[in-house]
Amino acid sequence: MTLLSSLLGVRVNRRRRQFWAISAVALALSLLGLGLSWRAPSIGAPLRLGLDFTGGTQIQIARLCGERCAELGSDAVEVRLEGLTLPVEDDGARPPSLGGSSVQLLDGGEQVLLRLPSLSAAQGQAVVDGLQSLLGPTDPAGLAVETIGPTLGARLLRASLISLAVSFVGISAYITFRYDRLFALLALLCLGHDVLITCGVFAWLGLLAGVEVNSLFAVALLTIAGYSVNDTVVIFDRIREKRGQLKELPLADQADAAVSATLTRSIYTTFTTLLPLVALILFGGSTLFWFAVALSVGVLVGAWSSVAVAPTLLPVLAKS
């Protein structure tokens, strides 16, 4: 309660340089991560794109381990993949090379996840058969093969980018209609701040831990955009209210009063939003794990920008 009371007493515009410095460092690290990811030969894009966007074949194999799985390293699987000879298709096309394929061991090595170039059914079966002696007994019911063509992957990536652009334009139009151009500019700045930092976190995760982004990550970004604007609109509403009530005070003090009046709500809303996301991280399984992580990062950054960025930029931009 002492911490909450001290937070409620913070006048954000008196500490705006510190808040801007924190955001600037986070943005700089995000841009650095995106740039390094783009220049990395194994990635070649701002983010490590997953199968949904690049196309290819994903094979998940479940091992029958008993009480404990036999030791297995991803390097050994990669070496075995490079040595496999795939069957030639009826059209005579040369089989794709499996060098550089991605291998992940999940659930303590009980699951092996392979991301490969696009393979035919026969070639996918050849991969499973070729790894059998290395992986040991496997569960046929746990075998999952998914193939996405490069055209569909490119289409999904384009659709995701268009969705984000449309959401930005729609949000800008809504804020401009409801408030004015300055508020719309601030909302877009906060939106860009939140999305960029979230992307930056995943750029570093892609570089350091091989984490890929897929269509669920695009969904997470769209959700973050909506959440970010919702939080910012609440602050804007209260600032507009305080401008009518505290006409004798400068705009910075009016913004501080608006933040103090909404800070409790922002903290509780963020906390209750994070609770189910943490539950998804802990118990949602590998499919939803990074989706929940992306949303959690976006919710935290969105709460920060609505309290520490938008109300502190408003008095500065209003003077110019």
Side-chain angles (χ1 to χ4, degrees):
M1 290 304 292
T2 304
L3 177 62
L4 183 58
S5 301
S6 62
L7 285 174
L8 292 176
V10 170
R11 303 187 69 172
V12 291
N13 273 288
R14 293 190 178 180
R15 300 192 179 192
R16 62 188 178 199
R17 293 187 188 282
Q18 293 98 314
F19 293 156
W20 292 348
I22 293 171
S23 282
V25 169
L27 289 171
L29 288 174
S30 299
L31 289 172
L32 178 63
L34 292 168
L36 290 176
S37 179
W38 204 331
R39 290 179 62 85
S42 61
I43 302 177
L47 296 165
R48 186 183 286 273
L49 300 178
L51 188 72
D52 289 4
F53 298 135
T54 60
T57 297
Q58 177 174 289
I59 300 178
Q60 185 164 352
I61 303 172
R63 302 170 69 199
L64 291 173
C65 298
E67 293 185 0
R68 185 178 179 184
C69 278
E71 187 114 4
L72 178 68
S74 58
D75 293 347
V77 181
E78 290 172 1
V79 170
R80 178 64 65 90
L81 283 173
E82 288 182 11
L84 290 180
T85 301
L86 300 178
V88 179
E89 290 300 292
D90 295 339
D91 59 5
R94 188 176 178 183
S97 169
L98 298 182
S101 299
S102 168
V103 178
Q104 272 187 288
L105 302 179
L106 308 174
D107 300 333
E110 291 187 13
Q111 303 282 336
V112 180
L113 186 65
L114 310 173
R115 293 187 175 85
L116 312 162
S118 291
L119 303 177
S120 66
Q123 290 167 343
Q125 187 59 49
V127 169
V128 175
D129 294 340
L131 294 177
Q132 188 76 49
S133 60
L134 179 64
L135 302 183
T138 58
D139 181 4
L143 177 65
V145 181
E146 180 184 5
T147 298
I148 296 179
T151 304
L152 179 58
R155 195 178 301 167
L156 279 171
L157 178 60
R158 187 167 57 251
S160 300
L161 293 175
I162 291 174
S163 299
L164 273 175
V166 169
S167 70
F168 271 54
V169 171
I171 288 168
S172 175
Y174 167 71
I175 299 291
T176 304
F177 173 76
R178 184 168 175 184
Y179 299 96
D180 56 35
R181 291 180 182 176
L182 178 57
F183 279 38
L185 173 64
L186 286 171
L188 283 179
L189 285 175
C190 290
L191 188 53
H193 171 278
D194 303 344
V195 170
L196 185 56
I197 291 177
T198 305
C199 288
V201 170
F202 273 77
W204 283 108
L205 287 171
L207 285 166
L208 301 176
V211 175
E212 298 178 341
V213 298
N214 55 20
S215 52
L216 279 178
F217 181 74
V219 175
L221 289 184
L222 289 170
T223 308
I224 290 167
Y227 184 87
S228 169
V229 169
N230 177 61
D231 247 17
T232 308
V233 163
V234 171
I235 296 286
F236 285 170
D237 266 339
R238 196 52 65 97
I239 289 176
R240 187 167 61 177
E241 182 183 309
K242 294 297 180 185
R243 292 177 80 172
Q245 296 174 350
L246 307 171
K247 292 179 181 176
E248 72 283 359
L249 296 180
L251 181 56
D253 290 341
Q254 295 170 351
D256 286 349
V259 171
S260 295
T262 56
L263 193 55
T264 306
R265 173 207 171 275
S266 296
I267 291 172
Y268 289 157
T269 303
T270 302
F271 179 69
T272 52
T273 306
L274 285 174
L275 284 178
L277 293 176
V278 171
L280 272 181
I281 290 172
L282 295 176
F283 308 110
S286 57
T287 304
L288 295 176
F289 180 84
W290 291 114
F291 171 70
V293 170
L295 279 180
S296 301
V297 172
V299 166
L300 287 172
V301 177
W304 168 262
S305 67
S306 65
V307 171
V309 178
T312 54
L313 282 176
L314 177 61
V316 177
L317 294 180
K319 291 178 182 175
S320 57

